[in-house]
Amino acid sequence: MRDIKQIKLTTGEELVCDVLELVEDEYAEAMVVTNCLTILCQEDRKREIRWYTFRPFMLHQDADQQLVINTQNIVCLTTPAKGVMDYFNTYLDNFRKIKKEEEDFVRENMDITFSEDDSDLNNLIRFPGPKPDRVH
């Protein structure tokens, strides 16, 4: 069973994530989490509406990447409301679907070849200077 928690950090950020385990040693406590998303609040003052959305907590990380959060940075921990949990699960499902589609597209459409042969250096510019062997 998943242990989904909403966490408020000392920085003011709010997260929703799956908590995998609590790790303790003689120096500190840490929480191992996955699917860690930041809750962002957006506002349109003219229309007097507010909405919330998720963004990855750490950029360039897969959703299922395990992260370790120092528990000293946690102000509050709770179980999210049902609506937040539903949106969290929908977001993760969509994230995984889009990621798979991107990987499939790259696999099907990108022909990347690397060569050990560097004899074709016509597109490189040699700059004069103390090291003529340096290529830019």
Side-chain angles (χ1 to χ4, degrees):
M1 186 170 118
R2 294 171 63 191
D3 189 16
I4 301 172
K5 294 294 181 192
Q6 185 170 342
I7 301 169
K8 179 96 167 180
L9 298 177
T10 56
T11 60
E13 293 171 290
E14 283 194 44
L15 312 175
V16 177
C17 55
D18 285 304
V19 176
L20 301 179
E21 66 179 309
L22 188 63
V23 180
E24 286 184 61
D25 66 16
E26 58 193 76
Y27 303 107
E29 287 186 2
M31 186 179 294
V32 180
V33 300
T34 189
N35 300 321
C36 196
L37 302 174
T38 301
I39 302 173
L40 296 178
C41 176
Q42 304 289 321
E43 244 178 290
D44 183 343
R45 293 183 189 262
K46 288 182 181 176
R47 295 189 302 176
E48 297 180 348
I49 57 172
R50 178 182 298 165
W51 66 95
Y52 299 89
T53 188
F54 291 125
R55 293 290 178 262
F57 177 59
M58 291 190 68
L59 299 177
H60 306 293
Q61 296 293 317
D62 290 335
D64 56 358
Q65 177 75 34
Q66 290 185 6
L67 305 174
V68 178
I69 298 174
N70 185 332
T71 56
Q72 291 180 347
N73 296 321
I74 296 175
V75 174
C76 184
L77 177 78
T78 188
T79 301
K82 183 183 178 333
V84 173
M85 279 196 193
D86 291 344
Y87 184 51
F88 175 74
N89 289 319
T90 301
Y91 181 95
L92 290 175
D93 290 343
N94 289 337
F95 180 86
R96 288 183 183 108
K97 179 181 174 190
I98 290 169
K99 182 175 179 177
K100 183 178 179 340
E101 289 172 357
E102 287 175 349
E103 289 170 351
D104 291 345
F105 178 83
V106 168
R107 196 180 307 82
E108 293 168 6
N109 297 296
M110 304 296 282
D111 181 23
I112 301 172
T113 57
F114 296 97
S115 172
E116 295 293 325
D117 179 22
D118 61 353
S119 61
D120 184 19
L121 299 177
N122 295 332
N123 63 340
L124 299 178
I125 302 169
R126 296 189 184 277
F127 288 93
K131 299 205 180 224
D133 61 332
R134 218 175 252 174
V135 179
H136 297 276

